[in-house]
Amino acid sequence: MELEQIKSQSEEAESAALAALNAAATVSELERLKPEILGKKCPLRQLMKLLGQLDAHLRPAAGAIINEAVSRVERAYQDRLDHLREAELEKRLIEEKIDISLPPSFKATGTLHPLTLTVREIERIFVSMGYEVATGPEVETEYYNFDALNIPPEHPARDMHDTFFLAPGTILRTHTSPVQIRYMRTHKPPIAIIAPGRVFRVDDIDATHSPVFHQVEGLLVDVDVSFAHLKGTLTEFLHAMFGKDLATRFRPSYFPFTEPSAEVDVQCFACRGTNAECRICKGTGWIEVLGSGMVHPKVLENVGLNPKEVSGFAFGLGVERFAMLRYGITNIRNFYENDLRFLRQFQQRW
Ligand code: FA5
């Protein structure tokens, strides 16, 4: 056996191994090849067995030839492995790429109801004037809803509040005025509150009336409160709410729990008094939006206050009427029908 023979067999086995590993197209194919081209029994290493047939002095050189060939195949194997791994990673990154420019799957987010928006605007204006927000129950006693407000059982004013009775003495409140009583019984003057909430009346539904609607009550009690305070506060509020170009007017009225009393009208937003047939104002040119007056001395006495020491004013406004004026809505039914085409016009979310 000659050294030349070993050398050529080694070159042959090496190029066969290199060809095989270069032909492997994937990492797993290459790894499957490994025992065949670099394992203990691979053709290259098998050549070591031939060393015994060489002269002893040629053996180290022959061993070195084979070992160097093995090292080259090992390096080539490692390079190919790195290359294939990188290529596969690249391919995966491209295939699994997330297109963040796609629109997200649709989730419906609600918007605030126009009545909520209106109550919040009313609250914002009064809170800016130093008022606090109070609440009371929707299921009320006849005492708080009527008697304590100076409306005794036989009083004709009870007829104007045709009422839903739940049990003897228990009703759905017909206005937010009982919150005045509840608040004055538990707080000492000075008092400045508004009380928003839902109220109920056996009223026939039409363009401006609903059997369930919302009011915001207002109450201010202190020393030396006069009608001028009432008029100034409500005028300021109405200007903040509607701007100064819709006219307002105070009209003498009657409520058993205020004396003197006034109802406040705002100029009709739809016709501004120019259409005798207008459905909104019924041709009057005005829309009634709230009742008000100086707190009746009897009401103050009913809650243990001395009318000679303190006085106050109160008002109660219809939220639906305010919202109709604010947004130019001509039918109160729109608020309760849950028609998304209507509700989507109010995009505010907070
Ligand atoms: C009252 O309810 C009194 N409690 C208001 C008040 C409070 C006066 C404090 C004095 C002092 P009235 O019944 O007028 O008053 O109702 C007040 C407002 O609620 C009306 O101006 C109107 O805007 C609204 N309103 C009344 N009935 C309905 C209804 N069926 N649907 C929608 N809004 C209504």
Side-chain angles (χ1 to χ4, degrees):
M1 185 104 200
E2 296 296 320
L3 190 57
E4 279 312 307
Q5 274 176 292
I6 294 285
K7 202 174 170 193
S8 74
Q9 285 192 32
S10 160
E11 278 166 8
E12 214 172 289
E14 181 182 344
S15 47
L18 293 175
L21 68 85
N22 280 325
T26 63
V27 172
S28 58
E29 221 177 281
L30 183 67
E31 283 171 347
R32 255 183 281 120
L33 269 180
K34 196 173 183 183
E36 205 178 295
I37 56 176
L38 281 168
K40 273 195 187 133
K41 293 193 174 139
C42 72
L44 252 180
R45 293 193 206 277
Q46 290 296 316
L47 292 178
M48 289 292 189
K49 289 189 178 154
L50 301 177
L51 294 189
Q53 300 173 28
L54 282 175
D55 286 347
H57 71 280
L58 293 176
R59 286 178 198 159
I65 287 169
I66 296 167
N67 282 335
E68 278 161 25
V70 169
S71 305
R72 279 193 297 278
V73 174
E74 274 172 348
R75 264 201 310 280
Y77 178 88
Q78 194 54 48
D79 288 350
R80 183 76 186 149
L81 189 63
D82 291 347
H83 170 79
L84 289 176
R85 275 189 179 147
E86 211 170 292
E88 284 181 12
L89 182 66
E90 194 83 349
K91 194 163 155 250
R92 258 184 59 200
L93 287 177
I94 289 166
E95 281 171 3
E96 295 173 11
K97 196 162 113 187
I98 300 164
D99 186 351
I100 55 164
S101 69
L102 280 176
S105 54
F106 177 72
K107 278 211 188 79
T109 52
T111 53
L112 292 180
H113 193 278
L115 292 177
T116 307
L117 292 173
T118 304
V119 170
R120 292 205 182 171
E121 178 62 5
I122 294 167
E123 287 177 356
R124 190 190 64 76
I125 296 167
F126 277 103
V127 167
S128 79
M129 292 197 252
Y131 284 68
E132 281 181 41
V133 179
T135 53
E138 290 174 1
V139 174
E140 193 46 285
T141 63
E142 271 189 82
Y143 174 77
Y144 281 115
N145 196 84
F146 293 124
D147 303 74
L149 287 161
N150 200 30
I151 317 176
E154 71 287 355
H155 198 286
R158 287 215 183 184
D159 284 345
M160 298 195 304
H161 290 215
D162 218 344
T163 313
F164 293 104
F165 283 85
L166 299 177
T170 309
I171 58 167
L172 291 176
R173 67 178 176 187
T174 60
H175 53 172
T176 43
S177 298
V179 185
Q180 288 186 37
I181 306 298
R182 290 180 175 274
Y183 199 88
M184 285 191 285
R185 283 181 71 148
T186 49
H187 298 77
K188 293 261 151 289
I191 288 169
I193 55 154
I194 54 163
R198 195 155 40 169
V199 301
F200 310 82
R201 288 185 198 177
V202 187
D203 273 355
D204 286 333
I205 191 152
D206 66 18
T208 55
H209 290 81
S210 161
V212 181
F213 62 102
H214 299 78
Q215 289 189 336
V216 175
E217 193 77 9
L219 173 71
L220 184 129
V221 183
D222 205 342
V223 287
D224 291 335
V225 177
S226 74
F227 198 88
H229 294 118
L230 162 67
K231 198 167 177 194
T233 304
L234 288 179
T235 305
E236 188 64 32
F237 160 64
L238 292 169
H239 283 167
M241 198 73 198
F242 299 117
K244 291 188 180 158
D245 56 311
L246 276 188
T248 55
R249 72 174 185 189
F250 285 70
R251 195 164 31 78
S253 185
Y254 171 77
F255 297 100
F257 37 95
T258 49
E259 180 61 29
S261 306
E263 276 179 312
V264 179
D265 301 337
V266 172
Q267 198 183 26
C268 176
F269 66 92
C271 75
R272 294 194 184 228
T274 60
N275 178 6
E277 316 269 275
C278 180
R279 274 196 316 126
I280 310 301
C281 65
K282 302 193 171 76
T284 63
W286 298 94
I287 299 172
E288 177 207 316
V289 290
L290 64 86
S292 65
M294 302 305 293
V295 179
H296 198 289
K298 276 234 172 101
V299 173
L300 295 174
E301 282 168 5
N302 285 345
V303 295
L305 292 172
N306 183 348
K308 293 198 177 75
E309 289 169 6
V310 291
S311 53
F313 67 74
F315 57 88
L317 63 84
V319 176
E320 279 77 355
R321 304 270 172 93
F322 268 65
M324 289 173 82
L325 283 164
R326 195 165 176 233
Y327 298 117
I329 292 163
T330 51
N331 197 329
I332 201 169
R333 294 176 181 90
N334 285 327
F335 293 124
Y336 317 116
E337 283 173 346
N338 294 331
D339 185 335
L340 288 178
R341 288 168 303 176
F342 172 74
L343 295 173
R344 283 204 182 111
Q345 295 173 64
F346 307 91
Q347 284 300 318
Q348 216 168 309
R349 291 200 167 84
W350 59 89

